[in-house]
Amino acid sequence: MTAPSQSSALYDASGAVDRVSWLARMEEICEDSGYFDPLGPGHWAFFADEGTTLLVTFEQIDTIRSLPGQMPMGTTLAQEHGWSHLCLIADGDTWYRDPRVFRYFDRLVDDAFFEDFDRVVFYGAGMGGYAASAFSVCAPGASVIAIAPRATLDPAVAGWDKRHLAQRRLDFTSRFGYAPDMIEGTGQMFLLFDPRQTEDAMHAALFTKPFVAKLRTPFLGDRIEASLTNLGILGEMIRLAGEGRLRPADFHRMWRARRNFGPYLKAIAAETARSGHPQRELSVCRSVTRRLSAPKFRRRQQELEDQLGVLSEGDL
């Protein structure tokens, strides 16, 4: 296994100045241990062979290139723990509905690729969450962590979801198409979603297998991945899954950190303000200012106390 200091230097594409140089750098990175293969014009497979636990992620090239090291998010996580990493990289909103991607996973199964690892974890968010769920069928016993996964974009099944109209033309009726069926055989799936996002909640409801743990993250909207990353929750969940120790109770314990997370608190405050219930909004502000130094919440608390004609807590 590569030593940590060497590994950090190896998995770095920050010097790439355009897509051509980035692709060349990714090939160079994989020369000694792994591979970087195109799967047609819209996808690539990046594999770093580092350990007996495998993290499989589904990411988009533009997002990867926006990160400081221009490496997949999963590479950073895998590197921290000495794991191997397989990343399916998409160029745009492909939803991985490409026969060349299907054939790639067929080859992995035929080669017993996943059987070489002690544990396998599939991860993705949104489009990547769909793919992580759909292709997990290739690795029986794997754990799946999926953020706001779509079950399908087939309008005959999910016609109520109007968010991806252009991608409805893709074929979701053939192989690996309906994600809730493809998770059969996984060890456990952890499905994170915001129940206040109607479409995401409806997709989540289609995952009905008993081994699916539905973990609610209200008020995070479409920023669940970024928020859980900032809170340190996502990386810890993936680590525990890679060690075979992740349980729903672990998430609920870590989720308590939201009580000190600015974007979450601001979302709750905005919702209570929109609801037209100043007393409820005041309760939120007081809850925050009791625990945190939050000048904006304190100012709003004072405004509401004046509006409602109630004493501030300091005067009680």
Side-chain angles (χ1 to χ4, degrees):
M1 187 180 300
T2 307
S5 59
Q6 294 174 319
S7 181
S8 298
L10 173 62
Y11 296 116
D12 182 1
S14 58
V17 296
D18 54 26
R19 181 175 291 200
V20 172
S21 60
W22 182 82
L23 292 171
R25 175 58 183 152
M26 295 297 280
E27 290 182 3
E28 181 183 2
I29 286 171
C30 295
E31 280 180 352
D32 295 329
S33 181
Y35 56 77
F36 182 69
D37 291 342
L39 307 176
H43 301 90
W44 296 265
F46 168 87
F47 175 57
D49 189 2
E50 293 287 345
T52 58
T53 295
L54 175 67
L55 175 62
V56 184
T57 64
F58 297 80
E59 307 182 41
Q60 294 196 51
I61 186 171
D62 289 341
T63 302
I64 293 170
R65 295 206 57 227
S66 71
L67 298 174
Q70 296 193 52
M71 293 298 297
M73 176 269 286
T75 302
T76 303
L77 291 173
Q79 179 187 324
E80 290 175 358
H81 306 301
W83 297 348
S84 296
H85 178 220
L86 174 63
C87 183
L88 275 294
I89 301 171
D91 187 4
D93 294 333
T94 68
W95 291 82
Y96 299 92
R97 301 304 301 158
D98 186 330
R100 283 160 289 206
V101 176
F102 305 165
R103 290 194 292 271
Y104 172 73
F105 275 97
D106 287 340
R107 291 197 301 273
L108 295 182
V109 173
D110 291 343
D111 294 341
F113 171 79
F114 294 107
E115 296 176 20
D116 288 339
F117 299 94
D118 295 337
R119 292 191 180 90
V120 179
V121 179
F122 280 71
Y123 168 75
M127 181 180 88
Y130 162 78
S133 306
F135 293 107
S136 67
V137 69
C138 297
S143 298
V144 179
I145 299 175
I147 293 177
R150 280 42 162 183
T152 177
L153 296 189
D154 180 2
V157 178
W160 33 263
D161 191 342
K162 309 295 185 184
R163 294 175 295 181
H164 312 286
L165 295 179
Q167 285 70 42
R168 284 185 177 188
R169 294 192 293 268
L170 298 170
D171 177 15
F172 284 85
T173 63
S174 59
R175 303 185 62 212
F176 305 106
Y178 186 58
D181 284 347
M182 296 298 101
I183 61 171
E184 189 69 57
T186 59
Q188 187 164 15
M189 178 180 184
F190 300 88
L191 192 162
L192 299 106
F193 70 104
D194 184 341
R196 301 174 65 83
Q197 299 288 107
T198 301
E199 295 87 353
D200 288 349
M202 293 174 73
H203 280 287
L206 296 175
F207 289 84
T208 59
K209 298 292 191 294
F211 50 82
V212 177
K214 296 178 182 178
L215 307 175
R216 292 164 173 77
T217 58
F219 295 103
L220 295 188
D222 60 359
R223 293 190 53 78
I224 298 175
E225 182 179 50
S227 297
L228 295 185
T229 298
N230 289 337
L231 285 166
I233 294 175
L234 182 57
E236 182 66 2
M237 288 184 69
I238 291 174
R239 181 185 71 81
L240 290 172
E243 295 174 356
R245 299 192 295 117
L246 180 60
R247 301 292 181 269
D250 296 309
F251 168 77
H252 295 305
R253 171 179 51 79
M254 293 184 282
W255 179 231
R256 295 173 191 159
R258 73 191 185 279
R259 299 177 70 247
N260 297 327
F261 184 53
Y264 173 83
L265 298 174
K266 290 175 183 176
I268 292 180
E271 176 64 22
T272 55
R274 284 193 297 268
S275 71
H277 295 285
Q279 188 63 55
R280 187 181 304 168
E281 186 182 358
L282 176 59
S283 297
V284 171
C285 290
R286 284 178 167 176
S287 174
V288 173
T289 57
R290 285 191 201 109
R291 294 178 287 106
L292 303 171
S293 175
K296 290 184 179 179
F297 280 89
R298 192 167 297 282
R299 285 195 297 271
R300 182 56 179 160
Q301 176 181 329
Q302 184 62 60
E303 292 171 359
L304 290 166
E305 288 170 344
D306 292 343
Q307 174 186 331
L308 295 170
V310 298
L311 293 175
S312 67
E313 290 188 308
D315 295 331
L316 295 177

